[in-house]
Amino acid sequence: MGGPEAPAGRGRELRRRYTAADLGVFTREEARRFIPRGDGDPQDDVVLAWELLYRLEPELYDRLAGVERLHPGVVGWLPCGLDRIAEVGAGTGRLTMELVGRGRHVVAVEPALPLRRILRRKLEAAGHGDRARVIGGFFDQLPLPGDSADLVVACSAFTPSPGHGGEAGLAEMERVCRPDGRVAIIWPNNLDWLTARGYRHVSFPGPMSVKFDSYADAVELAEIFFPKAAGEVRRLGSRTVPFEVLGINPPRDLAFKVLAG
């Protein structure tokens, strides 16, 4: 299980930022999940490097997540007027801020404490501190009662890997969802895996780009997270970079299931 960004073949230069000496940042529970043998090398394991990013440089992660905006069709698809919404792997609020206006009560579950702190700060600044609750938890052990949410959603966090969801995580999301409610995986990295488990796929068309805060930010973040594209980002000379230039699928897809009533 991890934080909000499911590593999917990108950010491979990120692992150079950390060493095995940084593994001490993990809590005992995190260490049990991410380094079960008690050791690991983020310079050889990009997934481990992402977990360290969330805990050692959360503001850097937030800079990236903040510019990878979801397709407006994905946001528009989300149902409104709900009573309770549960988000899993909420990160720093890429989706959470959209959910607040769609439910009376929102609970955002995020494993990494530094990311939870940033999300709480954002919610308070936006005046949503009383409508959204941010708590710690992992996909396979959600600290939420069964049949308690009308919508259970994960955005760019769920993968088939047991460490970031898997069978146990999907079962937990469905346990928390009420009958006739929806479980939704936004920006999934393995649609075939989800469709084989009864999930329907929705995709929204149109060109999509990442709008960095500045050209300098585009170059800096590309060098860290999209090193193969950094040269092209420099050549473009723009703060707006198409997703295809960065070499990743744009956040235009979702998979969902309506639970039987």
Side-chain angles (χ1 to χ4, degrees), residues 82-115:
L82 302 178
D83 182 27
R84 295 183 182 276
I85 300 172
E87 181 186 9
V88 188
T92 58
R94 185 204 313 265
L95 180 64
T96 318
M97 306 305 286
E98 302 286 352
L99 295 174
V100 169
R102 288 171 160 77
R104 291 179 56 231
H105 305 282
V106 176
V107 59
V109 182
E110 167 52 45
L113 176 59
L115 301 187

Side-chain angles (χ1 to χ4, degrees), residues 193-245:
W193 190 90
L194 288 165
T195 55
R197 286 153 181 81
Y199 281 70
R200 296 162 59 187
H201 174 215
V202 180
S203 185
F204 298 92
M208 293 188 68
S209 296
V210 176
K211 292 181 172 59
F212 295 94
D213 290 341
S214 67
Y215 168 64
D217 264 16
V219 171
E220 180 187 354
L221 293 176
E223 288 175 344
I224 297 170
F225 297 104
F226 314 104
K228 292 182 179 179
E232 182 64 12
V233 170
R234 290 192 198 90
R235 189 193 68 78
L236 288 173
S238 171
R239 63 185 284 259
T240 301
V241 181
F243 273 92
E244 55 264 30
V245 170

Side-chain angles (χ1 to χ4, degrees), residues 1 86-90 107-109 138-139 142 144 152-155 157 173:
M1 165 64 205
E87 181 186 9
V88 188
V107 59
V109 182
F138 296 87
F139 267 108
L142 295 179
L144 300 171
V152 183
V153 60
C155 177
M173 293 181 72

Side-chain angles (χ1 to χ4, degrees), residues 15-34:
R15 59 191 176 188
R16 296 185 179 181
R17 300 178 75 87
Y18 312 118
T19 70
D22 293 313
L23 299 179
V25 73
F26 290 136
T27 66
R28 181 178 299 179
E29 179 62 19
E30 289 169 344
R32 184 182 71 81
R33 292 167 180 272
F34 305 140

